[in-house]
Amino acid sequence: MRAIPDQPFLEAGRPYWAAVSADGLWLATPASGTGPGGGPRVAVYRKSDLSLWDLVEIDHHVDAFAFHPVLPLFAISTEWGEEWNRRGGLFLYEPQARRLVSFPVTGVGVTALRWLDERRLQVIFSVPDVSYERDGEDAFAQCVVERPADAWLGVEEGEIDLEARKALANEDVDWGPPLEPGYRVGDRLVALAAEAGRTWTPRTDVMAVEALRDGRVLCCPLNSSLLECWSSEGSLLWAVPEPEDAFQRSGCQVYVAPDDRTAWVTVIAGTSDDRKTLLRRVDLADGTVLAEHRLDFPARLAARADGAWAARDSRDLFPPARWPPSETPVFTPTGRQLGTVALGECDKSFEFGIRRSPHLLFLQGDGDEPRPEKWVVEASPRGVEPLFPLRWEECPAGHIAGGPGVYVEDGRGPGIVHAATTAEGPFLLRRALPHGEVVWAHRMDAEIRAADAGGGLLYAVTGAKELLTLRPADGEVVRRRPTAVSGHDFTPRSLSAAPGGDVFIGTAEGRILVLEGQEAAYGL
């Protein structure tokens, strides 16, 4: 398995900061993705060759960090939660020993820190307005921790008291040195890589990835580009920039026409309570934008193998919409609208992206309850036809949500393999078409993030950072392999199996992992 693009700092997607230790041996920066416990990470690299030394998992979002002015010691602050559940932490990490010590606090966040000198560490806390006396605005306090310079290494848990705090006026909070004019996210790592004669560019989560028949691969990053096209060797061929009016992120969805010549990509615009969708048709030869289409709702795409595709109202709004959902338009590959279908209310639990299907399949609620039972339905020129309930005979009781899947057809007939989330955990199951008989259903160890099929095999990536290879006939997992490359582990977001047998995995670290066809089928 290899990573595209192959650059230093593979874990560092788009970090705001990076720091180098006083002795010049260590380099640290926030990492994308999550650790084994599901928490954020800080990546520590050797400054000499930019190789990964350690991935330090912490409890919550990194707010600040700083190396000790003399010692090889790294301080990290974290903060999480709103007024009623604010919490934070101070972490001290010694790179050489890979030793991490934590000092958690509750009721406040640790929002900033800095070393005043070799003996003193200033820790700044955000104090939530739980009584709403400040119109919900945080107040700030500080604690200066002082120890002999030679006593900062080897600190044990419980040795640092963060309770002796002194109130700070907002204008007295020291947020560190101001950024230089024109500074952009990732500039520090760009400069550090350039010092070593290397190239590095910021990357964000690859939320969608699609393999083309000629060996190229498309991806939709969370930010920075609307659509990118890479060669299988790892060269960026072209990129479509995000429109200026994109709402925080691109839509992170792509529909590729059956002839592999064009694709439609989504852009979310508007505000959180009134999101719209801009659809852009892109020429896959060079990334030229050929056409645009606007929808008055946030869209979730679905496609049929013959080229028909649809844009459903995802209801991804905050606060939730108080108006009825829009009908779902159905288009040809060129964007000509064929008609609309009424699919009703939708939320994230209605996800049902079935790849390679000859049918337009969706989940539709049955009834007006807040959490109605879901049915698998087919949209066609005849309208919306219910096929079978999402819930199966031996499904655990309680709420059930859909998930990604793929169409399969073999000696056991046509069917779909799809993920489902239940109160007792995730499942992967195969259902026969058109009536939904369960061919097999397996409880999974971790959430299924994406699934696809190719070369007579099923592939799925999971929240446990694994690529699973399964047999479609019985769902047996015949191979597990970590989503890792040369000691670097990656958090999978998306998956696509190429006609030639290669498997492409989009990751939270902004990389595309490539498992070549022979390697994908090795040992099966």
Side-chain angles (χ1 to χ4, degrees), residues 226 242-253 265-280 292-299 314 316-318 323:
L226 181 60
E242 271 192 321
E244 292 182 358
D245 61 346
F247 175 80
Q248 298 178 351
R249 64 191 189 279
S250 72
C252 298
Q253 300 175 82
V265 194
T266 59
V267 181
I268 302 300
T271 58
S272 60
D273 62 343
D274 190 22
R275 291 174 181 157
K276 314 286 188 182
T277 302
L278 170 65
L279 295 165
R280 285 194 160 181
E292 291 185 352
H293 190 85
R294 292 185 179 271
L295 302 173
D296 290 331
F297 53 83
S314 71
D316 183 15
L317 301 169
F318 183 82
W323 55 86

Side-chain angles (χ1 to χ4, degrees), residues 104-128:
V105 292
T106 57
V108 297
V110 183
T111 196
L113 54 79
R114 69 180 181 119
W115 294 96
L116 301 176
D117 51 39
E118 298 176 18
R119 299 167 58 90
R120 297 179 300 157
L121 174 65
Q122 180 191 42
V123 183
I124 297 177
F125 306 90
S126 61
V127 183

Side-chain angles (χ1 to χ4, degrees), residues 321-459:
R322 296 182 179 180
W323 55 86
S326 300
E327 291 196 348
T328 298
V330 181
F331 302 97
T332 67
T334 60
R336 178 173 61 86
Q337 186 169 322
L338 296 171
T340 61
V341 291
L343 294 171
E345 284 292 348
C346 177
D347 58 31
K348 290 182 179 179
S349 72
F350 283 74
E351 177 190 356
F352 205 63
I354 306 299
R355 299 172 63 88
R356 309 186 189 282
S357 173
H359 316 284
L360 270 178
L361 300 177
F362 302 91
L363 291 183
Q364 186 178 51
D366 181 19
D368 297 326
E369 297 82 6
R371 285 189 167 184
E373 287 296 307
K374 299 177 177 67
W375 274 68
V376 177
V377 301
E378 179 186 359
S380 72
R382 300 183 301 274
V384 178
E385 179 182 357
L387 299 181
F388 51 87
L390 179 63
R391 188 179 301 279
W392 62 101
E393 184 176 352
E394 298 181 356
C395 177
H399 184 58
I400 179 173
V406 62
Y407 176 86
V408 293
E409 187 166 6
D410 52 23
R412 308 201 70 165
I416 56 173
V417 176
H418 70 87
T421 302
T422 74
E424 296 183 8
F427 280 78
L428 189 67
L429 57 159
R430 176 168 174 168
R431 315 286 287 271
L433 289 177
H435 302 301
E437 299 88 349
V438 175
V439 179
W440 49 260
H442 299 320
R443 170 77 180 269
M444 306 303 290
D445 298 330
E447 171 198 6
I448 300 295
R449 297 276 176 82
D452 202 0
L457 296 169
L458 288 173
Y459 298 99

